[in-house]
């Protein structure tokens, strides 16, 4: 039997927020990932004061300064990089031992050293090899630039990733040397600061560094960054 009560039962009206929710979700899904962190890029120093350390070998210190500059104002200056080289390459410049700044492990040590020196309550997270593209994007989403290593030269090269563009399919990079030409596989005379390196081509050079560091056993990306304490 038909229930007359149902006829007069008030309809449940959805709020405007409920009605708009499907459209909001659709809009969120359609938004491409675009990250551009406000870090200061630095060029490798042409230090005549350090004849044993040519500019092509200063990428590690320069990249480290870019990462530290997120938290330490002094790290934005050339003098900060010069002081790092003077302090950590003291033995090498005196003709004793190897260059300290050649190793990403040592970059991690130096980052921790300066965070402690300036009283910055942060942690250095290090991935010696096998990092993924998703790792990099998630770190960038948290607002942290990332130091990476790539075999752009026969001895390797250090750079900073400071952004990502899903539309461009590229990482925004602070390359302290110059602009790398992926077509020719060599550096140009153009600036490498605030440039976009295509993910697919860039990844091959990053993976080559990971393979080198792991004796050809691990691919992926080797990186470090300064983030929140775990």
């Amino acid at each position: 039997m038909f229930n007359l009560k149902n006829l007069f039962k008030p309809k449940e009206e959805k709020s405007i927020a409920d009605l708009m929710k499907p459209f909001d979700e659709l809009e969120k899904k359609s938004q491409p990932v675009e990250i551009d962190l406000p870090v200061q890029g630095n060029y490798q120093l042409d230090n005549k004061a350090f004849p044993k350390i040519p500019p092509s070998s200063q990428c590690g210190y320069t990249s480290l300064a870019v990462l530290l500059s997120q938290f330490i104002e002094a790290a934005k200056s050339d003098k900060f990089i010069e002081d790092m080289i003077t302090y950590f390459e003291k033995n090498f410049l005196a003709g004793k031992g190897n260059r300290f700044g050649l190793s990403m492990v040592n970059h991690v040590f130096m980052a921790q050293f300066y965070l402690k020196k300036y009283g910055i309550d942060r942690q250095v997270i290090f991935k010696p090899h096998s990092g993924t593209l998703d790792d990099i994007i998630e770190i960038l989403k948290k607002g942290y630039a990332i130091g990476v290593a790539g075999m752009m030269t026969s001895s390797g090269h250090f750079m900073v990733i400071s952004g990502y563009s899903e539309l461009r399919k590229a990482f925004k990079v602070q390359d302290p040397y110059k602009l790398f030409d992926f077509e020719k596989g060599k550096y140009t005379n153009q600036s490498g600061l605030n440039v976009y390196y295509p993910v697919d081509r860039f990844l091959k050079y990053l993976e080559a560094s990971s393979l080198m560091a792991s004796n050809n056993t691990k691919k992926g990306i080797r990186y470090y960054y300064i983030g929140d304490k775990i």
Side-chain angles (χ1 to χ4, degrees):
M1 180 183 289
F2 180 73
N3 193 341
L4 288 173
K5 290 182 179 180
N6 291 334
L7 184 63
F8 297 100
K9 187 177 181 180
K11 293 182 179 179
E12 293 183 7
E13 293 188 4
K14 291 186 177 181
S15 67
I16 294 176
D18 289 335
L19 291 170
M20 293 299 294
K21 192 172 181 180
F23 296 99
D24 290 340
E25 292 300 321
L26 182 62
E27 187 175 350
K28 286 179 184 177
K29 290 179 182 178
S30 64
Q31 289 293 325
V33 178
E34 298 292 320
I35 307 167
D36 186 359
L37 303 181
V39 301
Q40 173 178 300
N42 284 335
Y43 294 106
Q44 293 174 212
L45 299 178
D46 186 8
N47 281 316
K48 294 180 181 178
F50 307 116
K52 291 185 179 180
I53 308 179
S56 60
S57 302
Q58 294 172 16
C59 51
Y61 288 101
T62 310
S63 296
L64 173 57
V66 172
L67 298 183
L68 289 171
S69 71
Q70 296 172 106
F71 311 100
I72 301 171
E73 185 67 23
K76 295 180 180 179
S77 70
D78 284 352
K79 186 178 184 303
F80 188 91
I81 301 173
E82 291 173 359
D83 288 346
M84 280 197 292
I85 294 172
T86 302
Y87 183 78
F88 285 104
E89 298 293 356
K90 181 167 55 179
N91 289 335
F92 178 74
L93 292 169
K96 304 173 184 177
N98 298 319
R99 279 179 287 155
F100 190 78
L102 281 178
S103 167
M104 184 177 276
V105 174
N106 291 343
H107 299 171
V108 173
F109 170 81
M110 289 187 283
Q112 293 169 333
F113 172 88
Y114 283 106
L115 290 176
K116 183 176 181 180
K117 179 179 178 178
Y118 283 85
I120 307 297
D121 190 27
R122 297 281 179 173
Q123 181 176 348
V124 184
I125 294 88
F126 176 41
K127 188 83 171 180
H129 51 68
S130 306
T132 67
L133 293 175
D134 286 341
D135 290 340
I136 300 298
I137 294 171
E138 286 305 309
I139 294 165
L140 292 170
K141 284 181 178 178
K142 293 178 182 178
Y144 302 124
I146 309 159
V148 294
M151 298 305 293
M152 328 298 268
T153 66
S154 58
S155 58
H157 183 51
F158 297 108
M159 301 151 284
V160 173
I161 295 178
S162 62
Y164 171 70
S165 172
E166 189 175 352
L167 289 174
R168 295 174 185 249
K169 293 182 173 57
F171 283 120
K172 187 174 184 180
V173 176
Q174 308 299 329
D175 193 323
Y177 187 49
K178 293 175 182 178
L179 175 68
F180 191 77
D181 186 329
F182 289 92
E183 290 288 344
K184 298 179 179 178
K186 64 180 182 180
Y187 275 98
T188 69
N189 286 321
Q190 301 177 56
S191 169
L193 303 186
N194 298 307
V195 297
Y196 282 90
Y197 284 168
V199 171
D200 56 346
R201 294 186 173 186
F202 192 31
L203 182 60
K204 294 176 183 178
Y205 289 87
L206 300 180
E207 287 181 338
S209 180
S210 190
L211 285 167
M212 181 272 296
S214 64
N215 293 318
N216 290 316
T217 60
K218 305 288 184 181
K219 290 180 71 174
I221 306 168
R222 52 197 304 247
Y223 65 82
Y224 74 104
Y225 71 98
I226 302 169
D228 296 319
K229 284 195 169 181
I230 300 174

